[in-house]
Amino acid sequence: VSWAREMCIRDSVGGGHAEHFLREVAKRFEIIIFTASERPYAENVLSQLDPHGSLIDYVLCREDCLFIEGEFVKDLNTLGRDMRRVALVDNRPEMYCFQINNGIPISSWFDDRQDCELLRLLPSLERLASISRTAGDAADPDRFDVRGHLEGRRHGARRRVPRAAPL
């Protein structure tokens, strides 16, 4: 899998066009579900969204999170990926406080079949994939850093997330 296909999507996958979103994103990115949910619950939900196992590459669950001050926090270093090439779509920015620059905040989903948040993300992700392919073809493939391209998407998240304390 090339580095241009690395991405994680929010842990609250469901409704709101999630299946279409997964199909489209899987064409351009590696999909890693990183959820604070327990594995049996996550696997049940994901087996409905990706019954053939062709869209989701990996699943990380609660046991892969850090437990800090009563919360299960996602440390994206657990992915074993170059952080310059990782984006996380999540409805709780405080859950990825250690790598806030890699986050794309999204509103929470509560059984609203009219919710289009995931669909609204698709053009931005397509641009990100296009930029990363262009940078990857350049003489210096290390010059691409997803975090610089996410700056405009996370402005509200930075205000809601306190500075993370070192471990």
Side-chain angles (χ1 to χ4, degrees), residues 83-162:
M83 288 296 106
R84 294 174 299 173
R85 296 172 175 92
V86 172
L88 172 77
V89 177
D90 200 300
N91 64 321
R92 295 189 61 202
E94 63 274 13
M95 295 296 103
Y96 56 91
C97 60
F98 294 111
Q99 293 88 16
I100 193 73
N101 293 333
N102 294 83
I104 301 172
I106 191 169
S107 62
S108 295
W109 178 79
F110 296 105
D111 200 25
D112 177 3
R113 296 293 171 198
Q114 303 304 313
D115 182 298
C116 293
E117 285 295 306
L118 291 174
L119 295 181
R120 282 193 271 273
L121 276 180
L122 288 175
S124 295
L125 295 175
E126 175 56 39
R127 280 191 301 279
L128 188 62
S130 176
I131 292 167
S132 67
R133 279 191 305 271
T134 302
D137 293 339
D140 183 7
D142 289 333
R143 72 182 180 151
F144 178 74
D145 190 330
V146 70
R147 296 168 292 194
H149 297 280
L150 297 178
E151 187 68 38
R153 301 236 17 129
R154 66 176 176 267
H155 62 86
R158 189 167 294 288
R159 287 191 303 268
R160 295 187 308 217
V161 178

Side-chain angles (χ1 to χ4, degrees), residues 4-166:
R5 291 177 44 91
E6 295 175 15
M7 181 185 164
C8 313
I9 66 170
R10 75 181 187 178
D11 62 347
S12 324
V13 180
H17 308 282
E19 292 174 56
H20 174 73
F21 178 81
L22 286 173
R23 279 193 306 274
E24 290 302 310
V25 171
K27 295 175 186 175
R28 295 163 186 86
F29 299 96
E30 174 183 35
I31 298 179
I32 302 172
I33 302 296
F34 197 165
T35 179
S37 298
E38 293 183 11
R39 186 167 297 279
Y41 173 78
E43 288 177 349
N44 181 48
V45 171
L46 297 174
S47 69
Q48 295 172 40
L49 289 174
D50 184 13
H52 304 293
S54 60
L55 302 173
I56 299 167
D57 297 290
Y58 300 100
V59 177
L60 283 81
C61 295
R62 181 171 290 183
E63 67 265 18
D64 301 301
C65 295
L66 301 173
F67 189 68
I68 300 174
E69 296 183 19
E71 294 280 358
F72 290 95
V73 178
K74 301 166 188 173
D75 179 358
L76 298 180
N77 287 309
T78 304
L79 301 174
R81 304 294 190 271
D82 182 344
M83 288 296 106
R84 294 174 299 173
R85 296 172 175 92
V86 172
L88 172 77
V89 177
D90 200 300
N91 64 321
R92 295 189 61 202
E94 63 274 13
M95 295 296 103
Y96 56 91
C97 60
F98 294 111
Q99 293 88 16
I100 193 73
N101 293 333
N102 294 83
I104 301 172
I106 191 169
S107 62
S108 295
W109 178 79
F110 296 105
D111 200 25
D112 177 3
R113 296 293 171 198
Q114 303 304 313
D115 182 298
C116 293
E117 285 295 306
L118 291 174
L119 295 181
R120 282 193 271 273
L121 276 180
L122 288 175
S124 295
L125 295 175
E126 175 56 39
R127 280 191 301 279
L128 188 62
S130 176
I131 292 167
S132 67
R133 279 191 305 271
T134 302
D137 293 339
D140 183 7
D142 289 333
R143 72 182 180 151
F144 178 74
D145 190 330
V146 70
R147 296 168 292 194
H149 297 280
L150 297 178
E151 187 68 38
R153 301 236 17 129
R154 66 176 176 267
H155 62 86
R158 189 167 294 288
R159 287 191 303 268
R160 295 187 308 217
V161 178
R163 191 160 171 78

